[in-house]
Amino acid sequence: MDIRALLDRPTADERDAVDAVLGEPASAWEGGAFSPLDGHVAYGGHATRARRHLLLPALHAVQDAVGSVSRGALGYISERLTVPPAEAYGVASFYALISTMPRAETLIHVCDDIVCMQYGAGELMAAVEHALGPPGATGQLSWAPSPCLGQCDRAPAALSHAAGRGYANHAPAAADSLSGVEFDELPIGLIRQDPSQLRLLRHIGVVDPTSLDDYIDTGGYADLRRAIDMGRESVLAALDASGLRGRGGAAFPIGLKWRGVAEARGDEKYVIANGDESEPGTFKDRILMEGDPFAVVEAMTIAGFATGAGKGFIYVRGEYPVAERRLRHAIDLAGEAGLLGDDVAGAGFGFELEVRRGAGAYICGEETALFASIEGLRGEPRQKPPFPVESGVFGKPTSINNIETLVAVLAVLEMGADAFAAIGTERSKGPKLFCISGAVSFPGLYEVPFGTSLRELITMAGGIRDGGEVGAVLVGGAAGSFVDRSNLDMQLTFEGAAEARTGLGSGAIIVFDDATDFAPVLRRIAQFFRDESCGQCVPCRIGTVRQEEALARITADRMLGGMSDERERLDDLARVMTDASICGLGQTASSAVQSAIRLRLRGAPW
């Protein structure tokens, strides 16, 4: 795109879409009647610059309305927000779901990641290509391959976007019946578990996710009242005593994090719910946001109360349209009921909540990259320190937690800290959600106590389908590590995973049978990290590319009957990326490949 964008005019539809987000222009300098479309724009004004955070919502609005962001639309957004067009283009081009080039009015994203490929995604893509032609065409209808869409429990999956109509999920997807799928059935884990034993999933399938009255009638908002009656310090003490640690991968003690924000200097503080789960094999937060949105809103309100934050953001993955819609609806109803706003529940504190939609960038699951995305910048991670509790979003003290962690806070308050801590093991306390998918008979979301073994979880999911045997299990998703049959009795705890030289990560458990050729699996994982690297730091930007190239050469040589000696190169790349990358993406991009080599999995480069 030529970034001299201010020389082009937006269409009426594009202008209306932007104005719906930013409001009508207040002056000629904001694109009003005497807008200087010759490029002579006066950049400045504190009030206008303070709205930079609306850049991504404005880009989404245009993308939703017309299917892509034209040069004229980009120029109009730049003018309204006084953002240089080059910077606006840098943000727009950063995200996979924002297109700066014309594309089909309806685009279907078909998942070709490691779970969906086990469920016929290759055949699905072949059928779609036969019907629609090669990917990337313009016109009425086209398609494109996609990384994991977070629908691994009902693979194969697709996601469609139609200009003017928005996004729709298709799962399980079939080439002749790509129709949108709402949250209309229970995750298979709930069907196979005793409902009386569930804590984190207790409302799924029981409470109407669109009804605040139904949520309150089944005990909803009792935990907020309990927190208010306890007081801030007692809530923080309860979290400390519960032993609750973050469920997003870092496993940081939640009481310590919230206390850090509560004790931080300054009156302006934020809490953020990280619902941008993009780790292949992970879908637990989607199910919580879709099936129990009021619990997410209530937990965020408690987080605001306990930390002294007056504003919260729920950052929802762009591929989760149902979750976004239900959370927005829940926030609206909570506001009307006085459960958000200037005087929450009549308790004398104010808290506002806003949904922000991601746009197809795995890296924005990293907390500081997520801050940058909310601020209207490219979603690139930041060096730490300073840590978020001191300087987070907008440079203010911020607590950021993933969705499962927030729902677990409700369980702590409902059960009591001691009862919560009694579940699990000494170092891993409470119930835990695991997303199990791949070669099992009943993929789905399962809630189990910490300390359940990997073998027990696979058995709960019906064992290996079609009578096969376990070949290997990828624990923690693409950023995790493989374990083989010798580790099936490992405890699913933070310490048990460490002993098996892996990590629980976000709770993704992807199972492969003993007939699996891991060469294409490893190459797809490497391709995923190559594509998702933000490119900010050299070790990750170059290392992920070189890793994928090495695996491609190995695959090509084997097809020709040879054997590439790339092991030393892969080892060197792994050391450099792990030691020198800025964030967890580069630091874990080689984990699955290195573990496959170590275990001598079939097809791995050993």
Side-chain angles (χ1 to χ4, degrees):
M1 173 185 282
D2 185 338
I3 60 175
R4 292 175 295 176
L6 294 176
L7 300 180
D8 283 27
R9 293 177 178 272
T11 66
D13 287 342
E14 291 170 337
R15 182 184 289 269
D16 289 345
V18 174
D19 290 348
V21 174
L22 304 183
E24 292 295 323
S27 69
W29 297 111
E30 273 198 6
F34 300 100
S35 174
L37 291 173
D38 60 356
H40 300 294
V41 175
Y43 289 97
H46 292 293
T48 303
R49 283 198 299 271
R51 299 202 303 163
R52 169 72 182 252
H53 67 98
L54 295 176
L55 177 56
L56 184 54
L59 291 169
H60 269 307
V62 175
Q63 178 83 27
D64 289 348
V66 299
S68 61
V69 179
S70 71
R71 191 168 67 176
L74 190 73
Y76 184 59
I77 294 170
S78 300
E79 191 174 24
R80 291 295 315 276
L81 295 176
T82 66
V83 175
E87 289 190 24
Y89 175 74
V91 172
S93 60
F94 184 83
Y95 296 99
L97 295 183
I98 303 293
S99 175
T100 57
M101 300 295 291
R103 68 175 203 184
E105 291 184 16
T106 298
L107 181 66
I108 300 171
H109 305 267
V110 181
C111 178
D112 68 349
D113 222 307
I114 55 178
V115 174
C116 281
M117 291 301 287
Q118 295 189 53
Y119 281 83
E123 293 81 358
L124 174 62
M125 288 189 292
V128 172
E129 183 165 4
H130 178 75
L132 303 181
T138 57
Q140 290 292 115
L141 183 62
S142 187
W143 73 284
S146 169
C148 181
L149 294 170
Q151 306 280 342
C152 314
D153 52 328
R154 45 191 187 184
L159 174 78
S160 65
H161 179 263
R165 298 197 301 274
Y167 291 89
N169 295 122
H170 313 271
D176 59 350
S177 60
L178 286 173
S179 58
V181 177
E182 294 274 342
F183 182 91
D184 56 2
E185 56 187 39
L186 290 176
I188 196 69
L190 273 69
I191 297 172
R192 298 173 58 81
Q193 292 185 267
D194 181 354
S196 67
Q197 301 301 308
L198 299 178
R199 295 291 183 177
L200 308 182
L201 299 175
R202 64 190 184 281
H203 289 150
I204 307 293
V206 175
V207 175
D208 179 354
T210 67
S211 171
L212 176 59
D213 290 339
D214 199 14
Y215 180 71
I216 291 174
D217 289 345
T218 51
Y221 276 99
D223 293 320
L224 174 61
R225 175 52 59 188
R226 190 174 290 113
I228 293 170
D229 292 342
M230 291 169 62
R232 289 184 171 92
E233 180 54 39
S234 293
V235 171
L236 297 174
L239 293 177
D240 288 335
S242 72
L244 174 61
R245 295 164 66 182
R247 306 305 203 222
F252 193 82
I254 299 308
L256 186 61
K257 178 184 288 190
W258 284 23
R259 188 179 299 279
V261 176
E263 295 177 353
R265 295 181 179 179
D267 296 330
E268 191 174 0
K269 302 175 183 180
Y270 293 90
V271 290
I272 295 177
N274 184 350
D276 192 51
E277 60 171 4
S278 302
E279 187 69 54
T282 311
F283 46 87
K284 60 186 176 63
D285 289 347
R286 168 181 62 80
I287 289 173
L288 289 172
M289 290 186 289
E290 290 178 347
D292 202 4
F294 292 104
V296 179
V297 174
E298 181 183 8
M300 282 290 283
T301 309
I302 293 170
F305 169 75
T307 62
K311 177 70 180 284
F313 292 96
I314 305 177
Y315 191 96
V316 183
R317 187 179 179 188
E319 293 88 343
Y320 289 174
V322 177
E324 180 192 0
R325 186 164 60 249
R326 292 198 172 160
L327 284 168
R328 290 188 187 278
H329 179 67
I331 289 171
D332 288 344
L333 292 184
E336 293 170 4
L339 297 169
L340 291 172
D342 294 335
D343 184 18
V344 174
F349 75 97
F351 184 70
E352 299 289 346
L353 196 53
E354 182 179 342
V355 171
R356 286 295 177 92
R357 189 203 315 175
Y362 170 83
I363 190 61
C364 287
E366 195 277 337
E367 57 187 14
T368 62
L370 189 152
F371 299 157
S373 182
I374 289 176
E375 293 166 1
L377 305 171
R378 290 168 62 87
E380 296 176 340
R382 301 168 182 171
Q383 294 278 12
K384 292 182 283 190
F387 295 100
V389 295
E390 301 166 340
S391 178
V393 71
F394 306 119
K396 304 299 182 180
T398 303
S399 173
I400 179 169
N401 304 109
N402 83 327
I403 302 298
E404 181 190 352
T405 306
L406 289 163
V407 173
V409 169
L410 300 182
V412 170
L413 294 176
E414 180 182 1
M415 300 171 62
D418 292 343
F420 185 93
I423 300 173
T425 66
E426 184 178 353
R427 296 172 57 191
S428 302
K429 299 181 182 297
K432 178 74 182 80
L433 300 181
F434 287 99
C435 315
I436 185 166
S437 61
V440 292
S441 298
F442 303 109
L445 184 62
Y446 292 79
E447 179 181 326
V448 297
F450 269 120
T452 301
S453 73
L454 181 57
R455 187 188 303 277
E456 289 172 321
L457 185 62
I458 293 173
T459 300
M460 291 174 68
I464 305 302
R465 58 179 178 164
D466 301 327
E469 297 290 335
V470 173
V473 181
L474 183 56
V475 180
S481 301
F482 286 98
V483 299
D484 60 12
R485 283 194 291 266
S486 67
N487 289 116
L488 290 182
D489 291 318
M490 66 173 278
Q491 282 193 331
L492 293 172
T493 60
F494 299 123
E495 60 273 22
E499 290 175 7
R501 302 180 66 178
T502 185
L504 296 183
S506 57
I509 305 291
I510 305 175
V511 182
F512 300 85
D513 64 25
D514 57 353
T516 301
D517 176 4
F518 287 92
V521 175
L522 297 179
R523 188 173 176 191
R524 182 65 184 90
I525 291 172
Q527 179 191 353
F528 174 81
F529 285 114
R530 180 201 69 193
D531 292 343
E532 295 296 340
S533 172
C534 76
Q536 180 183 193
C537 69
V538 173
C540 180
R541 180 175 71 241
I542 304 300
T544 53
V545 174
R546 296 293 176 258
Q547 177 177 253
E548 200 275 334
E549 290 174 346
L551 290 170
R553 286 192 294 271
I554 292 167
T555 302
D557 283 358
R558 284 178 177 166
M559 291 176 65
L560 296 173
M563 182 69 174
S564 285
D565 184 13
E566 299 282 353
R567 172 68 183 274
E568 185 175 350
R569 189 189 310 274
L570 288 169
D571 289 346
D572 288 345
L573 290 168
R575 281 192 292 271
V576 172
M577 287 192 290
T578 301
D579 292 344
S581 295
I582 288 176
C583 79
L585 188 153
Q587 293 162 11
T588 59
S590 62
S591 297
V593 174
Q594 289 297 305
S595 64
I597 294 171
R598 184 173 66 249
L599 295 173
R600 301 172 68 89
L601 297 182
R602 178 186 176 193
W606 47 272

